[in-house]
Amino acid sequence: MNEKTKEPLFHIVKRDALPWYQSVGIRAAAIVLALILCAVVTTITTGINPVKVYESIFIGAFGTARKTWITLQNTAILLLIALALTPAFKMKFWNIGGEGQVLMGGLAAATCMICLEKSLPNAAVMLCMVISSLVAGIVWAVIPACFKAKWNTNETLCTLMMNYIATQLVAFFTILWEVPKGSGKIGIINQNSNVGWLPQAFGSKYLLSILVAVIVTVFMYIYLKYSKHGYEISVVGESENTAKYVGIKVSKVIIRTMVLSGAICGLVGLLLVGGINHTITTTIAGGQGFTAVLVSWMSKFDPLIMVASSALIVFMDRGASEISTAFGLNHSYSDILTGIILFFIIGCEFFISYRIQFRKKTEKEGQ
């Protein structure tokens, strides 16, 4: 009873900031280990050569010029939504409403295309689309922000519920505008006149969203890292009490940040409706509003790392259809492989932030 309690075998100790090359090395090692495990799982469960599976995934994403452009375009859309959510997350405002904000931006754009086709010139219609999409996204983001700032409501629940409202609004207008009646679909909007169709960038129908993503990525990196607003977001995220102590008006920062998030999500809705699909459906965002949450967190709110994270997820998703075609495996199998890879990538962040320190042996233990 008099013996001192033994120390634990090991302690988890927070690391100092690692050099960038060591962080990259740890992440690269995690991806290699994930691919090895995926290969083992593939061999055991299907008997298929895992190298062939990896080749099929690559072909599905980059097998042709068209597939490559679609992969880059999808990456740009996912990246834009992740960038929109990041300022709020960095402020510890859990905005789970990206899906709804994108839908509202898309609905606003579709409304302009349908209602203004015959009354305004094409340039004026596109200007109205841009303004209305940004405003719609902002309104859908600011509503929960105001509730949070004034009454400290739960923003996670509030933004999540706003998604359902947005989905039902789109469903309502889809039935209202359906062509032909009874189809439950709007179809291609202004297919003959092309009114409201966003212009192609450098003659490519895929390039516009990619260029927008590049611009927004650079802007968000500078905004978060070097601007006064970015500094205030970081301070509020660290401690609201500290922010108030140094004279930062927290409610103003919350609303301003959500205005930015909503505007970018509205912009994504505009790109999806006016530049890519030329129609509006309840599934036009494809669940990317939720996937973007993972991208933002996995990237530790760093816009540059988000580029790689978005590309990885889209790459695996695009490769899923090729696996299905080549080997008769359903889409769920690709999700399993994606899950393993993401698990290793997320898990490796522990070893970047912490290290395991084992208990040193005493002389008595050595004997």
Side-chain angles (χ1 to χ4, degrees):
M1 296 292 293
N2 293 329
E3 288 185 13
K4 291 183 179 179
T5 304
K6 286 187 177 180
E7 289 186 16
L9 180 60
F10 62 86
H11 294 278
I12 296 174
V13 181
K14 189 167 180 63
R15 290 182 187 270
D16 295 329
L18 287 177
W20 68 268
Y21 55 85
Q22 288 187 15
S23 299
V24 170
I26 291 174
R27 292 188 176 98
I31 293 174
V32 171
L33 290 173
L35 292 175
I36 292 172
L37 180 57
C38 287
V40 172
V41 170
T42 300
T43 303
I44 293 174
T45 57
T46 67
I48 300 171
N49 184 344
V51 175
K52 295 292 184 183
V53 174
Y54 293 149
E55 286 179 359
S56 294
I57 292 174
F58 186 85
I59 290 171
F62 301 110
T64 64
R66 182 175 179 275
K67 287 180 178 179
T68 300
W69 277 114
I70 293 175
T71 298
L72 293 174
Q73 185 182 67
N74 291 354
T75 299
I77 294 298
L78 179 58
L79 174 60
L80 281 168
I81 302 175
L83 290 168
L85 301 180
T86 293
F89 286 160
K90 198 166 184 181
M91 185 179 60
K92 290 190 169 55
F93 183 103
W94 312 122
N95 179 16
I96 315 298
E99 192 89 358
Q101 292 153 29
V102 170
L103 280 174
M104 292 307 295
L107 179 61
T111 302
C112 292
M113 293 173 72
I114 293 170
C115 298
L116 302 178
E117 177 194 8
K118 297 179 180 178
S119 56
L120 290 177
N122 186 32
V125 171
M126 284 193 285
L127 179 61
C128 290
M129 287 168 62
V130 173
I131 295 172
S132 63
S133 293
L134 294 178
V135 170
I138 289 170
V139 168
W140 223 244
V142 165
I143 290 172
C146 289
F147 278 97
K148 175 68 174 180
K150 189 169 181 61
W151 294 292
N152 197 31
T153 56
N154 187 314
E155 71 276 10
T156 304
L157 184 61
C158 193
T159 53
L160 187 62
M161 292 302 102
M162 296 290 285
N163 289 335
Y164 293 109
I165 298 172
T167 300
Q168 294 309 312
L169 279 172
V170 172
F172 171 80
F173 283 102
T174 299
I175 300 301
L176 188 67
W177 295 327
E178 62 185 356
V179 178
K181 288 296 180 183
S183 65
K185 297 180 180 178
I186 295 177
I188 302 299
I189 302 173
N190 301 340
Q191 188 169 8
N192 296 324
S193 64
N194 291 350
V195 170
W197 289 32
L198 298 179
Q200 296 181 0
F202 302 103
S204 171
K205 63 180 180 179
Y206 302 105
L207 197 54
L208 179 61
S209 56
I210 298 171
L211 290 176
V212 171
V214 171
I215 293 169
V216 174
T217 301
V218 174
F219 163 78
M220 193 62 72
Y221 179 80
I222 296 171
Y223 179 81
L224 292 176
K225 200 170 179 84
Y226 299 107
S227 73
K228 179 187 174 184
H229 289 181
Y231 168 74
E232 290 178 344
I233 288 171
S234 298
V235 175
V236 172
E238 289 294 327
S239 170
E240 287 192 15
N241 290 332
T242 302
K244 292 174 183 176
Y245 180 77
V246 298
I248 296 173
K249 194 172 182 181
V250 174
S251 59
K252 180 181 177 181
V253 174
I254 290 173
I255 293 173
R256 183 183 65 208
T257 303
M258 286 302 289
V259 166
L260 177 61
S261 290
I264 297 176
C265 284
L267 177 63
V268 173
L270 171 69
L271 291 172
L272 287 171
V273 172
I276 298 174
N277 297 305
H278 307 301
T279 189
I280 180 71
T281 67
T282 56
T283 58
I284 195 168
Q288 292 187 94
F290 299 105
T291 307
V293 175
L294 173 63
V295 171
S296 182
W297 272 89
M298 192 168 67
S299 307
K300 288 192 170 182
F301 313 137
D302 187 323
L304 300 183
I305 298 177
M306 283 178 212
V307 177
S309 300
S310 301
L312 173 64
I313 291 176
V314 171
F315 169 73
M316 294 299 296
D317 184 66
R318 292 278 299 152
S321 58
E322 192 68 25
I323 292 177
S324 177
T325 303
F327 304 109
L329 301 174
N330 60 39
H331 197 288
S332 298
Y333 191 78
S334 175
D335 290 340
I336 293 171
L337 300 183
T338 303
I340 292 173
I341 292 172
L342 293 179
F343 176 81
F344 272 77
I345 292 174
I346 295 171
C348 79
E349 297 299 324
F350 170 85
F351 296 98
I352 292 173
S353 301
Y354 301 92
R355 61 186 175 86
I356 298 174
Q357 180 175 301
F358 287 93
R359 182 184 69 204
K360 293 180 180 179
K361 281 188 176 183
T362 63
E363 291 183 9
K364 189 174 181 180
E365 287 178 326
Q367 293 172 2

